[in-house]
Amino acid sequence: MSATVELTKENFDQTVTENEFVLIDFWAEWCGPCKQFAPVYEKAAEDNPDLVFGKVDTEAQPELAAAFGIQSIPTLMIVRDQVAVFAQPGALPEAALTDVIGQARKLDMDQVRQQIAEQQAQQQGGQGA
């Protein structure tokens, strides 16, 4: 049995909403680097059973790929508390993937949300001040 979950437009929002920590692999059947990354991703899923490892087939789910502006595959995205905290194209070696997961686990999500709020406030250019 696979340790990864296939994400579709039907279950994507529910998966991201109901789980605190979701990794998403955007891939396609025809993509060589995606096929090389698949066993690395699968092993990480087995090594981290407390996290949700999802896969989005960009051919079958073009709306999801477009919604996230996926330009090249594979692209790995990490979503914590419904906030994308990491997104990077390219197949990661096992050690790099383990490192990224470790860094994402250590994030203080209150601090991340505060930074996002500050950035949004700055983008609004101090309107009404």
Side-chain angles (χ1 to χ4, degrees):
M1 187 182 121
S2 174
T4 60
V5 179
E6 183 168 345
L7 295 177
T8 64
K9 62 184 179 195
E10 287 75 26
N11 71 355
F12 187 91
D13 287 342
Q14 181 180 0
T15 302
V16 170
T17 303
E18 292 179 356
N19 296 282
E20 180 185 320
F21 198 125
V22 183
L23 294 94
I24 306 161
D25 175 22
F26 290 89
W27 69 285
E29 188 63 43
W30 51 263
C31 164
C34 297
K35 289 183 177 182
Q36 292 170 343
F37 182 58
V40 172
Y41 192 70
E42 195 74 34
K43 181 179 185 312
E46 290 166 10
D47 292 346
N48 296 277
D50 59 318
L51 308 181
V52 175
F53 283 73
K55 292 178 78 71
V56 174
D57 180 342
T58 57
E59 294 290 298
Q61 303 296 324
E63 301 91 345
L64 284 177
F68 287 97
I70 302 302
Q71 307 256 316
S72 60
I73 52 175
T75 288
L76 176 68
M77 183 175 290
I78 298 177
V79 178
R80 279 202 51 197
D81 299 345
Q82 302 170 45
V83 176
V85 296
F86 177 86
Q88 179 178 312
L92 295 173
E94 186 176 344
L97 179 57
T98 301
D99 184 50
V100 164
I101 292 169
Q103 288 181 41
R105 280 185 186 274
K106 290 179 198 158
L107 285 174
D108 177 338
M109 289 310 294
D110 290 333
Q111 192 176 6
V112 169
R113 279 189 285 277
Q114 184 181 345
Q115 289 172 343
I116 291 169
E118 288 170 4
Q119 287 171 353
Q120 289 173 339
Q122 287 173 357
Q123 287 172 355
Q124 291 171 356
Q127 293 174 349

